[in-house]
Amino acid sequence: MAGAAEFDLYRPSEEHDMLRDSVRSLAEAKIAPFAAEVDEEGRFPQEALDALVANDLHAVHVPESYGGAGADALATCIVIEEVARVCASSSLIPAVNKLGSLPVVLSGSEELKKKYLGPLAKGDAMFSYCLSEPDAGSDAAGMKTRAVRDGDYWVLNGVKRWITNAGVSDYYTVMAVTDPEKRSKGISAFVVEKGDEGVSFGAPEKKLGIKGSPTREVYFDNVRIPADRMIGEEGTGFATAMKTLDHTRITIAAQALGIAQGALDYAKGYVQERKQFGKPIGDFQGVQFMLADMAMKIEAARQLTYAAAAKSERVSAGGAHEDLTFFGAAAKCYASDAAMEVTTDAVQLLGGYGYTRDYPVERMMRDAKITQIYEGTNQVQRIVMARNLP
Ligand SMILES: Cc1cc2nc3c(=O)[nH]c(=O)nc-3n(C[C@H](O)[C@H](O)[C@H](O)COP(=O)(O)OP(=O)(O)OC[C@H]3O[C@@H](n4cnc5c(N)ncnc54)[C@H](O)[C@@H]3O)c2cc1C
C-alpha cells in the first residue's frame, strides 16, 4: 500500500495549479495564434520559442544549481501539456530540451553540466537527442555510428535519423559505438556541438503532423571532439539513453494529454454552437456520450501521467528506480492511444468541417499520431511494460 505522502505527490500542488494558469494564458496569447500557420507553412515556431524563453519556460527542468528554474517532473509535464493544448510542434521545445540534456543531467561530469546546462537554461542554446538511425529504430542498440579514440579526442562518423529540432539546436547528445564487440555495452554518449567541424544536416522530413518541429538527419563526418565531451564512462551511453527515456516518455504522455485536451475543449464549444434538427448537436445523447468518453480517457491518462511524473521525481531525488520504467512506458502508451482516439472523435464531432484545415481538430489528429511512434513505438512500450510488470 502506498503511504499518504506518496499519494500527495500524485496531486498537483497550488504552485502547480498557478503554473498551469500562467502557461495557459501565455500559450493562448502568444503561441495559439501561430499554430495553424506554423503547421500550414511547416516552419519553426519562433514566436513560441521567444515567448517560452522570455518567460523562462523553454527548459524548466534544468536544476537551479546550473542556472535553471529547477522545476520538478510534474511541473515540466504541466508546461508541455499546456503548450501542446494549443500547438504540439511548439511543445517539442521544452520536451526535447529535456530529452537532449537529461543524459548530461543524469550522467555528465560537473564540467559538462556547467558548460552545457547554463546556456540551455538561459535560452541561448537548445539541445537535441540523437539515438535513432536509418537502420536502427526500435532496435536502437543496433546502431552503426562509430566513435574512435584518437589521443585526447574522439572521432565520430555516422548518420542519425529523425532528429527533432536538428539544425535549430546548438547541442546534440549523440550515442555512438565505441566497442563493436559489446553491443549495447559498447555504446557511449557524447555532447556534439552544431559548430563542430564535420557536422551537417539533411533536408527537413515532410511529415504528417508536428510540421513546425524540424525533423532532419544529422551527419557526422570525421567529427573530432575532446575526450571530456563523453557523457559518463565509456560503454555506459546506452544505459544512460534508456534511463533518460524512462523520465522523458512521461513528457510525451503530457504532450499527448495536451493535444487531446485541446481537441476536447474545441469540440465541447462547437457542439453548443452547431445546430441540426433545430437544436444544438450537443443536446443529442449520442454526442454527449462521445464527449463523456473523451473526457474519461483524458482524465485517466492524466492521472497515470502525473503518477509517473511522481515516480520520476522520486528517482531524481535519489530514490530507487524500481517501477519508473513501467510507469514511463505505460503513461506514454496510454496517453498517446487516448490522444489518437480523442482527436479522431473530435474530428467526427465537427462532421465535414472537422475534416478541413479551417478548424484545428484536423491538425490535432495529425499531431497526435506521432505520440504513438516516437521515444519508442507503442509496441515497444508494451515490450518494456511486459518486461517490467509491477
Ligand atoms: C517526427 C519524428 C521525430 C523523432 N525524433 C527523434 C529524436 O529526436 N531522436 C531520436 O533518436 N529519434 C527520434 N525519432 C525516431 C523514433 O523514435 C523512431 O522512429 C521509432 O523509435 C521507431 O523506429 P523506426 O521508425 O525505425 O521503426 P521500426 O523500428 O522499423 O518499426 C516499424 C514497426 O515495427 C514495429 N516493431 C519493431 N520491432 C518490434 C518488436 N520487437 N515487436 C513488435 N513490433 C515491433 C514497430 O512498433 C513499428 O510499428 C523520431 C521519429 C519521428 C517520426
Side-chain angles (χ1 to χ4, degrees):
M1 284 283 286
E6 196 176 335
F7 278 119
D8 279 351
L9 280 171
Y10 288 47
R11 210 171 38 234
S13 65
E14 215 172 291
E15 270 186 3
H16 288 120
D17 289 342
M18 281 162 54
L19 173 71
R20 182 189 299 281
D21 289 346
S22 67
V23 182
R24 181 166 294 196
S25 309
L26 179 83
E28 284 182 348
K30 306 268 187 198
I31 300 175
F34 301 98
E37 182 184 310
V38 155
D39 173 67
E40 194 72 34
E41 295 175 5
R43 67 164 177 87
F44 183 73
Q46 188 61 42
E47 298 86 352
L49 177 62
D50 294 345
L52 291 169
V53 169
N55 291 276
D56 211 5
L57 292 168
H58 57 288
V60 287
H61 67 285
V62 177
E64 284 174 356
S65 41
Y66 302 101
D72 62 23
L74 179 53
T76 307
C77 280
I78 289 171
V79 170
I80 294 164
E81 182 186 334
E82 288 302 324
V83 176
R85 184 175 157 274
V86 302
C87 178
S89 291
S90 300
S91 70
L92 281 160
I93 295 169
V96 174
N97 273 340
K98 178 163 181 176
L99 173 68
S101 64
L102 203 61
V104 175
V105 175
L106 292 176
S107 309
S109 65
E110 200 49 37
E111 289 69 34
L112 277 189
K113 288 181 188 173
K114 281 199 187 113
K115 183 167 179 195
Y116 291 109
L117 298 179
L120 172 66
K122 269 200 225 148
D124 292 342
M126 284 171 51
F127 239 109
S128 288
Y129 177 88
C130 303
L131 178 68
S132 307
E133 297 186 358
D135 295 321
S138 301
D139 181 15
M143 68 177 64
K144 297 202 180 74
T145 296
R146 190 81 165 87
V148 176
R149 183 92 193 211
D150 181 15
D152 289 340
Y153 293 85
W154 285 93
V155 180
L156 274 68
N157 277 289
V159 180
K160 291 291 175 180
R161 184 152 199 159
W162 312 116
I163 306 309
T164 300
N165 292 339
V168 180
S169 291
D170 299 86
Y171 305 146
Y172 298 80
T173 287
V174 180
M175 271 50 77
V177 176
T178 43
D179 185 345
E181 303 293 306
K182 294 191 180 155
R183 208 172 137 83
S184 68
K185 293 208 166 69
I187 291 171
S188 306
F190 301 88
V191 180
V192 175
E193 299 181 11
K194 179 180 174 176
D196 287 331
E197 207 179 323
V199 174
S200 60
F201 304 97
E205 303 291 346
K206 297 182 186 126
K207 307 191 297 290
L208 173 73
I210 55 160
K211 292 183 182 221
S213 172
T215 314
R216 299 168 72 175
E217 284 191 328
V218 184
Y219 308 116
F220 304 94
D221 182 12
N222 283 321
V223 178
R224 200 175 163 78
I225 56 171
D228 61 9
R229 294 252 209 104
M230 183 181 272
I231 302 170
E233 298 295 312
E234 190 176 337
T236 60
F238 195 73
T240 297
M242 294 303 114
K243 264 189 227 155
T244 297
L245 292 177
D246 284 344
H247 291 275
T248 58
R249 282 176 178 149
I250 304 164
T251 68
I252 300 305
Q255 182 186 47
L257 192 54
I259 298 170
Q261 187 69 57
L264 174 62
D265 290 349
Y266 196 86
K268 250 182 356 192
Y270 184 87
V271 301
Q272 301 309 324
E273 301 293 324
R274 174 70 175 168
K275 288 201 175 84
Q276 289 294 282
F277 303 99
K279 52 180 168 179
I281 57 170
D283 285 2
F284 297 117
Q285 197 178 48
V287 167
Q288 291 167 4
F289 280 6
M290 282 179 75
L291 289 165
D293 280 345
M294 290 157 79
M296 173 178 70
K297 286 172 192 169
I298 290 175
E299 203 47 51
R302 179 169 287 120
Q303 293 303 320
L304 183 53
T305 303
Y306 292 179
K311 309 260 177 218
S312 163
E313 197 48 35
R314 184 199 61 207
V315 172
S316 301
H321 205 86
E322 263 180 5
D323 47 4
L324 173 62
T325 304
F326 174 85
F327 268 78
K332 190 273 200 197
C333 188
Y334 189 87
S336 59
D337 285 351
M340 203 61 240
E341 291 167 17
V342 168
T343 54
T344 306
D345 281 351
V347 168
Q348 189 71 18
L349 284 174
L350 268 72
Y353 297 98
Y355 199 66
T356 71
R357 272 188 259 182
D358 298 333
Y359 292 83
V361 289
E362 174 266 357
R363 164 170 52 85
M364 292 166 174
M365 181 178 160
R366 286 186 286 106
D367 287 346
K369 184 62 201 169
I370 191 59
T371 63
Q372 295 181 307
I373 296 174
Y374 56 18
E375 297 211 20
T377 65
N378 280 4
Q379 288 95 324
V380 166
Q381 304 310 315
R382 288 178 168 93
I383 297 172
V384 171
M385 283 188 272
R387 284 185 188 150
N388 293 277
L389 290 174

